Amino acid sequence: MKLIFIRHGEPNYDIDSLTEKGWREAEYLSERTSRWDITDIYCSPLGRAQDTAAASLKKLDRKAVTCDWLKEFDSPIVDPQTGKQVLPWDRKSDYLNTHPELFDLDGWHQSPDMISGNLKENYEYVTAKMDELLVKYGYRRDGYRYLTEKNTHRDDVVVCFCHLGITGALVSHLINVTPHQLWQGFFLAPTSVTVLGTEERTPGEAYFRCQMMGDTSHLLLHSEPVSVYGSFTDPFQG
């Protein structure tokens, strides 16, 4: 199967919708998604994701299933230096350099400030929901792999309109790395497309492999600049 995560367009967080640019991005995205043979579409309940999906749904003449667990990953943590709450994917290099456990598959959630944000509980909740959804298509989690059956929907294409943080959390689970490796190591621009595909090299055993991460070719095709939202440096525009 193909599992596709799409981040919402450039956001207007004040009204939980899109900027004028974000609406353009969503329209250009819809030209891309309208050419896909999509099995099912799921969407975050938040306005910026719903508005991004709307253009694609109109072109496809489809409806999306709204899933509460696809909303932005809601686990702010306490910054020990300032005492203020921050997003777990906004940590600076000095913090990451002194907390190697963040890159340990078994220990990333054990530092005191990570515990302060209930990261482990929330991560286990959203990843369990992802696994519950995948059972519908014939993929059942077993350790670090997924077991399949004869009736597994191997050709299905499933699209999720959601957010940067939740995409990092879910993809990390699917490919068996810590979420911090994706949160800190990858930038997912507004309306970017991330594609995972299943590989079943041993019959009955499937692994997810990332085929595309944060692709914005639909924007470049229309000479629409890639938005900086979610990055701390200017995105490459080529």
Side-chain angles (χ1 to χ4, degrees):
M1 74 178 298
K2 301 294 186 295
L3 185 55
I4 303 176
F5 296 95
I6 300 176
R7 188 187 175 195
H8 57 75
E10 184 177 86
N12 182 335
Y13 288 117
D14 291 337
I15 59 173
D16 188 23
S17 184
L18 305 178
T19 64
E20 182 179 344
K21 172 175 168 50
W23 287 108
R24 288 199 306 273
E25 293 174 347
E27 185 61 29
Y28 297 147
L29 171 70
S30 72
E31 295 179 13
R32 182 178 185 176
T33 59
S34 66
R35 298 191 295 268
W36 298 350
D37 184 12
I38 300 174
T39 308
D40 290 312
I41 304 171
Y42 300 92
C43 189
S44 157
L46 299 184
R48 53 194 184 272
Q50 293 274 330
D51 290 342
T52 301
S56 292
L57 294 173
K58 182 177 180 180
K59 274 195 171 64
L60 290 162
D61 193 24
R62 297 283 298 274
K63 293 184 178 180
V65 176
T66 298
C67 298
D68 183 69
W69 54 273
L70 279 175
K71 67 184 180 183
E72 186 56 296
F73 190 72
D74 187 19
S75 287
I77 60 177
V78 177
D79 187 328
Q81 296 176 324
T82 65
K84 297 180 179 179
Q85 287 191 327
V86 296
L87 295 172
W89 47 89
D90 282 351
R91 305 320 306 265
K92 295 182 180 179
S93 59
D94 57 345
Y95 180 87
L96 299 173
N97 193 51
T98 55
H99 289 78
E101 72 276 4
L102 298 181
F103 305 101
D104 177 356
L105 194 57
D106 296 317
W108 64 266
H109 49 75
Q110 295 179 354
S111 61
D113 52 330
M114 295 297 147
I115 294 173
S116 73
N118 295 321
L119 257 74
K120 183 175 185 291
E121 292 83 355
N122 289 340
Y123 183 83
E124 289 179 345
Y125 170 73
V126 298
T127 56
K129 286 294 186 180
M130 183 81 261
D131 286 342
E132 182 180 310
L133 179 66
L134 289 172
V135 169
K136 173 182 175 181
Y137 302 96
Y139 293 86
R140 188 175 301 277
R141 183 84 176 188
D142 178 60
Y144 296 120
R145 63 184 178 178
Y146 287 84
L147 301 180
T148 64
E149 300 175 352
K150 288 184 178 180
N151 61 348
T152 292
H153 302 196
R154 292 172 176 82
D155 296 326
D156 283 350
V157 176
V158 175
V159 176
C160 299
F161 286 88
C162 50
H163 310 264
L164 184 153
I166 187 64
T167 297
L170 295 175
V171 172
S172 74
H173 173 68
L174 293 166
I175 66 172
N176 302 305
V177 299
T178 79
H180 294 283
Q181 288 169 290
L182 298 187
W183 287 337
Q184 309 295 344
F186 290 85
F187 167 53
L188 302 179
T191 69
S192 64
V193 175
T194 296
V195 180
L196 275 67
T198 52
E199 293 185 348
E200 194 171 338
R201 299 173 67 185
T202 300
E205 299 179 14
Y207 284 85
F208 280 91
R209 189 173 189 180
C210 186
Q211 299 181 349
M212 182 185 300
M213 192 84 175
D215 182 77
T216 53
S217 56
H218 55 281
L219 300 181
L220 302 179
L221 183 65
H222 290 275
S223 300
E224 180 70 34
V226 177
S227 175
V228 72
Y229 273 73
S231 178
F232 294 98
T233 188
D234 291 334
F236 180 60
Q237 300 292 346

